Amino acid sequence: MKNYLTIDDLPNLDNAVAEALTLKKDPYKYNNIGKNKTLGMLFFNPSLRTRLSTQKAAQQLGIHTMIMNFSNEAWALEFEDGTEMSGLRSEHIKEAAAVVSQYCDIVAIRAFASLTDKESDETEKVMHNFAKYASIPVVNMESATAHPLQALADAITIKEHSTIKRPKIVLTWAPHPKALPHAVANSFTRMVQKLDAEFVIAHPDGYTLDPKITKSTPLYRNQEEAFEGADFVYAKNWCSYTDYGKVLRTDNSWMLTAEKLKNTNHAKFMHCLPVRRNIVVSDDVLDSPNSLVIEQANNRTFSAQVVLKKIIENG
C-alpha cells in the first residue's frame, strides 16, 4: 500500500481491522519500525481527534512528526497547471510537494470540501495533486469527499462491539445548523459495504448521497422504520448533494433520541465527533451506556497506526 487516500486502498479491510485490534493490545510492539522516519502533517482545516490520534499513532511506531497549519503558517498554494500566478497564491503545489518530500518520509493531509463547487470538490485537487507531485506516500486525514481513517476506526469499533454475525447497521442523516461535507458519510458507506452486514441509509428528501457511492444500499425516508431491529445507528449530518452545499432543513424532527431507538436491537450509537448536543443527538443517547463515541475516538489512533505501519512495511 503506497498511499492511503480512500478506504479502498486497504488490500483487505478485515485483515486491517484484526491487525489494528492486535496493535491496540500492544501499541508499542513495533516502536522501532519508524526509527529515523518523519511524518509531515499538513492541516488546511481544524482538527482535534485526527491531529492528536495520528500524531500518537506515529509516535507509537517510533516515527517523528512535523505539523504545519496551512491556514496561517504557510504560503497559499496554487493547484492549477499553466496559471499565471499574479494573485494571492504564492507557491505552486509542484514545488511544495517536492520540498515536503525532501523533509519527510510520509505526508498526511487534511483539507475539507469547499461546498461551493461539487465538480471541483470531487476532483480532490489537494489530495490528488499531493499524490501526483510528492515522491513519498500520502495519507488522507480527511478530504473533500473521503475520511478513510475515520471509516477504519468505525470498522474497528463495530468489530469490537458486534454480538451477532451479521449486524444491522443504519447510517442516518441528522440536523445541523450549517452545511457539512459528505466525507464521513461517503467513507462509512464504502466501509460498511465491505462488511457482512445489513446496511441501510435514512435521510429526508433532498439528502441523497452520491448514488455512485450508495449503489444498491436501501434508502429510507422514514427514520424510525429504518431503525427497526438495528444493532448500530450512526448519526451524521451532510449537506444536500443535488443542491450541493445547501441546508434544506434545520428542524429537529430527525434528531436522534432515546425514544426513536426503542425500536432497535438495543442499538449502539456512533458518531465521529464533534457533535452538537440536542441538535444532532439528545443527551440521553449520547450519555447512555450504548454510546460508542469515545471508543470510536480512541480507535482513531489504531486506525492511523495500522495504516502507517503498512506504508512503512511497503517500503
Side-chain angles (χ1 to χ4, degrees):
M1 186 172 73
K2 183 182 187 301
N3 297 321
Y4 187 60
L5 304 182
T6 76
I7 193 74
D8 293 333
D9 287 328
L10 285 174
N12 185 294
L13 177 61
D14 290 337
N15 289 349
V17 169
E19 189 171 358
L21 289 171
T22 299
L23 287 170
K24 190 172 182 178
K25 294 176 183 176
D26 188 1
Y28 294 97
K29 183 177 181 179
Y30 299 95
N31 65 347
N32 283 320
I33 197 173
K35 184 179 180 181
N36 298 328
K37 295 191 180 298
T38 299
L39 170 68
M41 300 170 63
L42 310 182
F43 291 89
F44 291 80
N45 296 92
S47 175
L48 172 61
R49 279 149 294 277
T50 297
R51 174 169 173 166
L52 297 181
S53 63
T54 306
Q55 193 171 7
K56 183 177 181 182
Q59 291 170 352
Q60 288 176 174
L61 294 171
I63 304 171
H64 299 291
T65 57
M66 295 193 300
I67 299 172
M68 173 168 278
N69 294 306
F70 263 75
S71 59
N72 57 14
E73 293 180 344
W75 303 113
L77 291 184
E78 175 60 61
F79 292 93
E80 301 299 327
D81 286 335
T83 184
E84 181 181 287
M85 292 173 58
S86 58
L88 297 176
R89 300 183 185 277
S90 305
E91 183 154 19
H92 201 280
I93 181 62
K94 289 182 179 181
E95 288 77 51
V99 168
V100 170
S101 298
Q102 294 178 319
Y103 301 153
C104 306
D105 300 282
I106 304 170
V107 61
I109 301 162
R110 181 176 176 93
F112 289 173
S114 69
L115 296 183
T116 58
D117 185 332
K118 180 166 64 176
E119 287 71 27
S120 176
D121 283 346
E122 289 183 339
T123 66
E124 292 282 13
K125 66 179 181 180
V126 176
M127 209 64 58
H128 287 168
N129 273 290
F130 268 101
K132 179 179 179 180
Y133 293 115
S135 58
I136 57 175
V138 177
V139 174
N140 184 347
M141 296 192 296
E142 189 170 5
S143 63
T145 67
H147 199 347
L149 288 176
Q150 180 66 55
L152 179 52
D154 295 337
I156 296 165
T157 307
I158 289 170
K159 179 66 174 179
E160 285 182 302
H161 292 275
S162 289
T163 57
I164 61 175
K165 183 178 179 181
R166 192 170 188 270
K168 180 178 180 180
I169 302 171
V170 181
L171 171 63
T172 180
W173 182 91
H176 198 280
K178 67 177 186 177
L180 294 184
H182 295 176
V184 171
N186 285 346
S187 289
F188 185 78
T189 297
R190 290 184 186 276
M191 178 274 289
V192 179
Q193 288 169 345
K194 298 176 184 291
L195 303 180
D196 183 12
E198 179 186 354
F199 180 46
V200 304
I201 300 174
H203 59 75
D205 288 335
Y207 281 100
T208 304
L209 290 165
D210 182 352
K212 296 190 296 294
I213 292 174
T214 57
K215 298 178 180 177
S216 60
T217 300
L219 307 178
Y220 284 76
R221 296 295 190 272
N222 185 311
Q223 190 182 39
E224 294 182 49
E225 182 181 343
F227 287 172
E228 290 181 9
D231 299 287
F232 295 90
V233 173
Y234 198 116
K236 185 70 181 78
N237 176 268
W238 58 85
C239 67
S240 174
Y241 184 74
T242 51
D243 293 320
Y244 189 66
K246 299 294 191 297
V247 176
L248 305 182
R249 59 188 295 168
T250 57
D251 63 275
N252 66 0
S253 62
W254 277 71
M255 181 178 72
L256 207 62
T257 65
E259 182 64 28
K260 290 181 180 179
L261 293 178
K262 286 182 178 179
N263 222 14
T264 69
N265 184 28
H266 306 288
K268 302 294 186 181
F269 171 72
M270 301 179 70
H271 190 281
C272 60
L273 300 182
V275 64
R276 298 205 180 206
R277 285 176 173 264
N278 302 307
I279 298 291
V280 172
V281 57
S282 60
D283 285 340
D284 54 2
V285 173
L286 196 54
D287 296 330
S288 76
N290 278 8
S291 175
L292 301 181
V293 298
I294 303 303
E295 192 61 27
Q296 282 175 264
N298 186 37
N299 284 334
R300 288 295 307 278
T301 296
F302 306 104
S303 74
Q305 193 166 344
V306 75
V307 165
L308 294 173
K309 179 175 176 287
K310 285 182 177 298
I311 287 174
I312 290 174
E313 288 172 339
N314 191 53

